[in-house]
Amino acid sequence: NNRGQVENMSALSAMSTGRDIGGNLQKVFYFSNTQQLIRYYNTARPLQHFISQLANGRSLVWPTNLFYNSVSLKAEVYESLCDCEKSKTFWEQTLQANLLKYGESIAHPETAISLHELGKTWDRLGDCRKAISYNEQALQMRRL
């Protein structure tokens, strides 16, 4: 029972050969809300990792987590939807989590990625000074 939730995530759904291409594409690539899209990514990302392990012949470590619920993933989803304000909020949360996890004085690749993503987001929001500042911090951290 999916409690009335309607999900149409298959690109293989039947499409008529009529002239309403836009309507058909909406049926194939339509997400009724952002939370639905985030749930899709929460399962798609770990499955992608799992399948790549199988394809590369790596031994699997069990239990494999088949649900990935991270703040950075939410930031990526909102970025793909061109919702820069929400994306910025989640990248800021990701940066804070990385600073707490690795320390503010330690140059860690995940912290550098968060800084860079914040720089990209500020650029999209039109604040070039903040974008440059975050990107310079990321570059400096990657050089260390």
Side-chain angles (χ1 to χ4, degrees):
N1 182 3
N2 67 2
R3 298 184 201 120
Q5 176 180 342
V6 177
E7 294 190 32
N8 185 11
M9 294 186 207
S10 174
L12 303 175
S13 64
M15 291 179 64
S16 68
T17 57
R19 296 190 179 266
D20 185 19
I21 294 173
N24 286 333
L25 287 177
Q26 183 178 14
K27 289 177 187 174
V28 175
F29 299 106
Y30 176 72
F31 292 94
S32 60
N33 62 49
T34 305
Q35 293 305 314
Q36 183 180 353
L37 184 60
I38 289 172
R39 280 194 313 274
Y40 170 77
Y41 272 93
N42 286 342
T43 54
R45 187 65 56 89
L47 284 174
Q48 178 186 22
H49 178 70
F50 178 76
I51 291 169
S52 71
Q53 282 184 322
L54 288 175
N56 293 330
R58 292 188 217 146
S59 60
L60 300 175
V61 179
W62 296 98
T64 300
N65 184 4
L66 294 179
F67 190 81
Y68 183 63
N69 186 19
S70 75
V71 178
S72 62
L73 183 65
K74 290 177 184 176
E76 290 177 35
V77 170
Y78 283 111
E79 182 179 313
S80 71
L81 295 172
C82 299
D83 189 339
C84 294
E85 284 295 332
K86 285 187 181 176
S87 179
K88 175 182 67 81
T89 299
F90 286 113
W91 281 124
E92 287 170 341
Q93 290 176 17
T94 301
L95 176 60
Q96 290 306 313
N98 286 335
L99 291 173
L100 285 173
K101 185 176 182 179
Y102 304 113
E104 292 188 27
S105 60
I106 296 175
H108 193 276
E110 288 185 32
T111 306
I113 289 169
S114 300
L115 288 165
H116 174 67
E117 293 296 336
L118 265 171
K120 287 187 343 186
T121 303
W122 277 111
D123 183 47
R124 288 186 184 109
L125 287 168
D127 192 331
C128 294
R129 290 178 192 218
K130 284 188 179 181
I132 291 169
S133 173
Y134 279 110
N135 282 313
E136 285 176 342
Q137 291 175 62
L139 183 61
Q140 181 181 3
M141 189 169 283
R142 286 183 176 155
R143 287 182 177 162
L144 298 177

